[in-house]
Amino acid sequence: MGRKNRTRQRAQPNRDGRPEGKRNRDDAGWGAGYSEIIKENKLFEHYYTELKIVPEGEFEEFMEAMREPLPATIRITGYKSHAKEILHTLKEKYFKEVQDLEVDGQKIEAPQPLSWYPDELAWHTNLSRKILRKSPLLEKFHQFLVSETESGNISRQEAVSMIPPLLMKIEPQHKILDMCAAPGSKTAQLIEMLHSDMDIPFPEGFVIANDVDNKRCYLLVHQAKRLNSPCIMVVNHDASSIPRLHFDQDGKKDILFYDRILCDVPCSGDGTMRKNIDVWKKWTTSNSIHLHGLQIRIAVRGVEQLAVGGRMVYSTCSLNPIEDEAVIAALLEKSEGALELADASADLPGLKYMPGITSWKVMTKEGQWFSDWSEVPTSRHTQIRPTMFPPTDPEKLANMKLERCMRILPHHQNTGGFFVAVLVKKAPMPWNRRHPKLRNKEVNSSSETAAAEELQMGESLADVPPADGSSADAPVEAVEGETPAEGNPSVPDTPDPSEVKKDHVCGPPPPKKMKLFGFKEDPFVFLTEDDPIFPPIQAFYDLSPDFPKLNVLTRTREGKKRNLYMVSKELRNVLLNNSERMKVINTGVKVWSRNNDGEQFGCAFRLAQEGIYTLCPYIRARIINISVEDVKVLLTQENPFLSKLGDDAHTQAKKLEMGSIVLRYLPDPQDLDAPQCPIDLCGWRGKTSIRAFVSRNECLHYLRMVGVEVFRDKQGKRNDGSTETEEESTEDAEGLSQEADLLEQEGEETEQNANGTEPVSSTCDGPTNCTLVQEHLVG
């Protein structure tokens, strides 16, 4: 093929300054910009009228709500102490400014907290994305949302999407699996719950976030990285055959069972019509029929890996009972009492929902209805399966208690449509019991008993009717080259000691073990306790004796180690025991970066802001305690002289040699106007000056916390006095993630500044950030 012509004539701009034919980005949010799509689908209305999932007399209201744009909702993330500060800023500053404003003839209502979300940490507003970006009155609020979102302190997340993690009742010690995790908003909630106690750097629990799409896994990594947790691992597998993992427990090999599993399965998405306008014209009943089998397989694989006593939350953004109650009923029937639907009605007071239904019908895309499997003609048996219908035995149906499922309708609380069910595992799953004689083997703990029994029974999907119509009793042959867990789940997963990496290297699995697609990942290499890299670090930062050296890893086998990462002890256990069984995309939080100039000061590694809260509990030297005024100086001035600090901080700084430092603010309970949470910043003590190594958005975040508001004015004035177009300004603000990714690829190299004594990190945004802050301080 010939090369593409790179000198094509550029399209002429249209009236609003954009090339002809290019969609206006402002029209692409929350349903705007799709005016050519008529929000009407007669088949959809006929189907749900017949199923009666909407209370009598409310269907018109239901349809009207479906046609309205979805309100914007935000959730405050981060550790709880920081979350309270952000909430205070929102309520006392931004929400008061926007209430009762009128923009383009539309009155802006004051943002309101979601009544059912704990601690007022989730809010909804009638502000559209277009209004937020176009109104000068809301410019500060818009920039606040953009920068706080990028720094991980706020998530713009649909309200109903926040429900499943809340129903899981996460505790810091829980092992959690998110089976279909991308793009990661729910995963972020799970991570936050693990870190509810900010004083615990390494919670015992962890989150393994999985997605089948390799590219979406990197979006998931970006979402998770904002929270800087050492307890998250992103993996890339088909959720319906995600491998069973092994780990060492008390010196013995064991099977990993999860305390909590989030099973948010792929679905037809008709509950998202308010946001995804394309669903109006693409919706048909065959979508649900095609997805039903996959949803069951994913859910079954989930409950197989759930520990006895654990909770699995099954959810969809579909209102269709074939994807909802039918899947739950199939699970309950095949579990033979091992699973139970939990009553979650009291878990979220204030949430309005409809109970699950116990009677429904199946309709083909041609409009033909079937009330029972016996009515389905043989020619349809490959598409329509028995599990799509409610159980025919009234007693069995009553015992399932399907009314405990929760269906959220859009018109009840101005949300999207959603379905959620909470399953509790009472006993090991019963199917395919191959070794009943071993079931009485005595095991010490109840969790070990469950693991042993499930291993002996060899749980599988063998008894679940396949979606393709093949016989459920037919033997399943393992695919050549696949592990038993993937090719044939009916084969018991027996731990193989040979799989453990003896050299502490966890590389990607060999190609014959799994069919891998996507980018090739670098290995995860754990350092040994006697690694020569540790002594200078130990001495320079005076690390405490309990510092977990074995939890430190790097991403290179040979050559100089550029970055050092840390994971929790439990994730290290999982990595070392399963490197041949799973494809890990990312894990760990960066705690140190190589700075060759630092060798002359005694340590070649400087602290990384990403892992500062993980590392700080172990650092006993190189710490400067600073005040609120010191924070303002460090984040608004470029390389301020040491004398610019307060007396206490100045005295501490003079005693330290040059090199990487921790700048720590501790709250004063007597000063209620100051932040009431600790702040740790990475910094560098130079020959005569000092600076903080903080990314642009974190800089803005901490400045807001100490009472300084910073923003870019509407004319988009830059450091050099030039101006930028409004679109450039917005793209600059909203493209920070790409900028961060680019900096990561460039290796975060350091260079010396003008006086040759202090390194300037590419992750710090350097002088540009500090000058920008100086020029636009207000209030």
Side-chain angles (χ1 to χ4, degrees):
M1 294 190 302
R3 295 181 63 184
K4 290 184 178 180
N5 183 3
R6 297 181 180 273
T7 60
R8 288 184 301 178
Q9 185 177 359
R10 296 185 65 179
Q12 292 299 314
N14 54 24
R15 290 181 181 179
D16 59 0
R18 293 173 178 81
E20 194 68 43
K22 185 176 179 181
R23 175 173 286 178
N24 185 335
R25 291 175 59 194
D26 292 323
D27 296 335
W30 302 121
Y34 289 86
S35 56
E36 69 275 11
I37 297 178
I38 300 173
K39 297 179 181 179
E40 191 171 306
N41 187 310
K42 294 298 182 184
L43 182 63
F44 175 86
E45 294 187 39
H46 172 64
Y47 184 73
Y48 282 112
T49 302
E50 190 74 20
L51 287 182
K52 295 181 172 59
I53 66 164
V54 180
E56 190 173 350
E58 296 183 16
F59 196 80
E60 286 302 318
E61 187 182 356
F62 164 76
M63 290 304 301
E64 278 301 312
M66 292 290 277
R67 295 186 180 99
E68 289 294 319
L70 193 66
T73 48
I74 60 173
R75 181 174 56 80
I76 300 172
T77 64
Y79 301 125
K80 283 193 173 179
S81 56
H82 279 220
K84 290 176 182 177
E85 294 294 326
I86 298 168
L87 177 61
H88 178 76
T89 302
L90 271 173
K91 291 171 70 173
E92 298 303 318
K93 174 66 179 171
Y94 295 101
F95 289 167
K96 285 185 177 179
E97 287 187 355
V98 302
Q99 70 182 33
D100 298 326
L101 281 178
E102 191 168 308
V103 180
D104 295 338
Q106 178 181 350
K107 185 177 180 181
I108 306 301
E109 299 173 3
Q112 298 294 326
L114 296 179
S115 60
W116 44 268
Y117 201 96
D119 303 324
E120 291 191 339
L121 293 180
W123 294 70
H124 68 98
T125 174
N126 68 335
L127 289 168
S128 69
R129 182 184 259 175
K130 181 176 180 179
I131 291 176
L132 268 175
R133 290 181 53 186
K134 287 296 187 183
S135 170
L137 299 171
L138 300 172
E139 181 67 17
K140 295 180 194 176
F141 186 38
H142 176 235
Q143 291 187 22
F144 171 82
L145 291 179
V146 170
S147 65
E148 293 292 341
T149 298
E150 280 300 321
S151 58
N153 299 304
I154 283 180
S155 286
R156 285 184 264 185
Q157 180 181 357
E158 192 175 344
V160 290
S161 172
M162 306 174 191
I163 296 172
L166 294 176
L167 296 178
M168 293 175 72
K169 297 185 177 180
I170 303 295
E171 297 176 10
Q173 74 276 12
H174 284 156
K175 301 174 181 66
I176 307 164
L177 173 64
D178 191 349
M179 301 189 73
C180 308
S185 56
K186 299 183 186 71
T187 308
Q189 276 182 277
L190 301 177
I191 298 171
E192 293 162 35
M193 294 172 183
L194 279 183
H195 290 278
S196 58
D197 187 347
M198 196 173 177
D199 294 329
I200 303 176
F202 289 102
E204 292 182 20
F206 56 78
V207 177
I208 294 180
N210 173 72
D211 202 84
V212 67
D213 189 309
N214 185 264
K215 291 181 180 178
R216 283 167 61 87
C217 281
Y218 292 93
L219 178 61
L220 180 58
V221 169
H222 174 69
Q223 282 275 50
K225 269 192 170 183
R226 297 183 311 147
L227 298 179
N228 299 324
S229 170
C231 303
I232 170 71
M233 179 191 295
V234 176
V235 299
N236 179 205
H237 289 279
D238 178 354
S240 64
S241 58
I242 189 168
R244 192 188 300 281
L245 303 183
H246 306 153
F247 75 121
D248 289 324
Q249 186 170 19
D250 300 327
K252 297 184 296 183
K253 273 284 194 194
D254 211 341
I255 299 294
L256 175 61
F257 287 88
Y258 300 95
D259 302 297
R260 298 289 187 269
I261 293 180
L262 176 55
C263 187
D264 187 53
V265 296
C267 65
S268 62
D270 57 20
T272 69
M273 282 180 163
R274 301 182 68 178
K275 180 176 66 173
N276 300 322
I277 313 301
D278 286 345
V279 179
W280 281 97
K281 64 178 183 179
K282 295 180 179 179
W283 188 91
T284 174
T285 55
S286 60
N287 296 342
S288 297
I289 291 173
H290 292 155
L291 287 165
H292 174 81
L294 173 64
Q295 291 163 341
I296 287 185
R297 291 195 297 276
I298 293 175
V300 167
R301 191 57 179 164
V303 295
E304 285 178 352
Q305 302 206 28
L306 185 65
V308 173
R311 292 165 72 94
M312 185 178 91
V313 173
Y314 175 90
S315 63
T316 73
C317 47
S318 169
L319 302 173
N320 200 323
I322 293 177
E323 303 178 65
D324 299 339
E325 284 91 348
V327 174
I328 298 299
L331 275 177
L332 293 172
E333 185 167 6
K334 292 299 177 182
S335 75
E336 298 178 7
L339 294 175
E340 177 182 276
L341 257 178
D343 184 0
S345 58
D347 292 346
L348 294 177
L351 177 66
K352 295 180 182 178
Y353 66 92
M354 295 300 298
I357 60 177
T358 57
S359 175
W360 62 88
K361 299 181 290 184
V362 177
M363 187 177 79
T364 64
K365 64 179 180 180
E366 295 82 15
Q368 185 178 6
W369 289 95
F370 301 110
S371 299
D372 187 78
W373 167 249
S374 61
E375 301 175 2
V376 181
T378 306
S379 60
R380 296 273 188 180
H381 280 189
T382 54
Q383 292 88 32
I384 300 177
R385 302 296 304 151
T387 52
M388 296 179 184
F389 297 90
T392 54
D393 185 342
E395 184 179 354
K396 182 183 293 183
L397 182 62
N399 289 336
M400 287 182 179
K401 300 178 180 176
L402 292 179
E403 64 277 1
R404 291 182 173 178
C405 299
M406 307 167 74
R407 179 176 280 104
I408 291 88
L409 300 179
H411 65 292
H412 284 165
Q413 286 182 301
N414 197 15
T415 64
F418 206 71
F419 175 88
V420 63
V422 182
L423 293 159
V424 176
K425 191 170 183 178
K426 297 292 187 182
M429 305 307 293
W431 49 74
N432 198 25
R433 297 176 181 174
R434 294 195 169 194
H435 309 285
K437 62 182 179 180
L438 299 177
R439 291 189 63 187
N440 295 326
K441 182 179 179 180
E442 293 185 2
V443 189
N444 295 334
S445 67
S446 59
S447 61
E448 289 177 346
T449 303
E453 289 184 354
E454 293 209 26
L455 175 61
Q456 292 152 9
M457 291 187 298
E459 297 179 346
S460 75
L461 310 182
D463 286 352
V464 179
D468 59 6
S470 60
S471 171
D473 298 323
V476 183
E477 296 182 0
V479 179
E480 184 178 356
E482 290 188 330
T483 62
E486 293 164 350
N488 179 9
S490 64
V491 178
D493 295 295
T494 53
D496 182 3
S498 65
E499 287 186 356
V500 183
K501 287 288 190 181
K502 301 300 182 184
D503 56 358
H504 303 285
V505 177
C506 305
K512 291 183 180 180
K513 206 75 172 176
M514 295 182 189
K515 295 170 182 166
L516 297 179
F517 300 92
F519 301 104
K520 182 180 179 181
E521 293 300 322
D522 294 327
F524 296 85
V525 184
F526 283 96
L527 305 186
T528 58
E529 284 191 307
D530 57 354
D531 193 295
I533 209 171
F534 279 125
I537 294 177
Q538 180 96 34
F540 192 72
Y541 297 102
D542 190 17
L543 299 180
S544 60
D546 60 341
F547 174 72
K549 294 179 181 178
L550 292 178
N551 294 12
V552 179
L553 63 87
T554 184
R555 299 298 302 273
T556 178
R557 287 190 178 94
E558 300 174 355
K560 282 191 174 182
K561 302 172 178 64
R562 287 176 37 236
N563 296 310
L564 301 181
Y565 305 83
M566 290 192 76
V567 296
S568 64
K569 176 183 175 183
E570 289 72 19
L571 272 188
R572 178 185 184 275
N573 191 340
V574 172
L575 266 171
L576 288 175
N577 284 283
N578 299 280
S579 62
E580 299 289 326
R581 305 176 61 80
M582 62 181 182
K583 181 179 180 183
V584 180
I585 301 296
N586 195 276
T587 191
V589 59
K590 183 165 62 177
V591 290
W592 280 294
S593 290
R594 179 175 290 276
N595 170 27
N596 292 327
D597 297 320
E599 292 184 5
Q600 58 183 306
F601 310 127
C603 183
F605 285 88
R606 67 168 180 85
L607 299 166
Q609 182 66 29
E610 295 96 314
I612 193 68
Y613 291 103
T614 298
L615 204 55
C616 265
Y618 303 103
I619 295 178
R620 299 184 297 184
R622 313 289 304 169
I623 298 174
I624 299 177
N625 292 307
I626 57 176
S627 65
V628 169
E629 292 304 316
D630 293 330
V631 174
K632 294 177 183 179
V633 168
L634 289 163
L635 297 182
T636 59
Q637 298 184 26
E638 179 187 351
N639 293 335
F641 288 110
L642 296 177
S643 58
K644 292 287 188 74
L645 299 177
D647 292 341
D648 289 345
H650 186 200
T651 302
Q652 297 171 60
K654 287 195 298 184
K655 295 179 181 178
L656 295 179
E657 298 294 328
M658 293 171 60
S660 187
I661 54 173
V662 178
L663 299 160
R664 173 170 297 166
Y665 163 80
L666 296 175
D668 180 2
Q670 305 300 321
D671 185 4
L672 298 181
D673 292 330
Q676 294 301 302
C677 65
I679 296 174
D680 287 329
L681 306 175
C682 288
W684 185 270
R685 199 282 202 202
K687 189 173 183 180
T688 59
S689 61
I690 193 166
R691 75 174 300 165
F693 280 117
V694 184
S695 68
R696 176 187 302 171
N697 287 306
E698 282 192 282
C699 176
L700 302 180
H701 165 67
Y702 288 122
L703 281 172
R704 292 188 183 104
M705 286 181 64
V706 296
V708 178
E709 183 185 352
V710 58
F711 71 101
R712 187 189 295 258
D713 60 27
K714 192 64 178 176
Q715 285 71 37
K717 287 187 179 179
R718 292 175 173 167
N719 307 334
D720 55 7
S722 63
T723 60
E724 59 188 351
T725 65
E726 184 179 326
E727 184 172 8
E728 287 175 331
S729 176
T730 305
E731 288 178 347
D732 177 65
E734 295 186 343
L736 293 169
S737 60
Q738 289 94 335
E739 178 181 327
D741 292 341
L742 181 61
L743 291 173
E744 181 99 1
Q745 293 168 7
E746 290 174 350
E748 299 168 324
E749 297 175 350
T750 59
E751 60 184 9
Q752 291 189 335
N753 68 359
N755 62 20
T757 57
E758 299 169 84
V760 177
S761 167
S762 61
T763 60
C764 171
D765 283 330
T768 302
N769 179 41
C770 298
T771 310
L772 172 70
V773 171
Q774 278 182 298
E775 292 191 355
H776 298 284
L777 288 178
V778 296

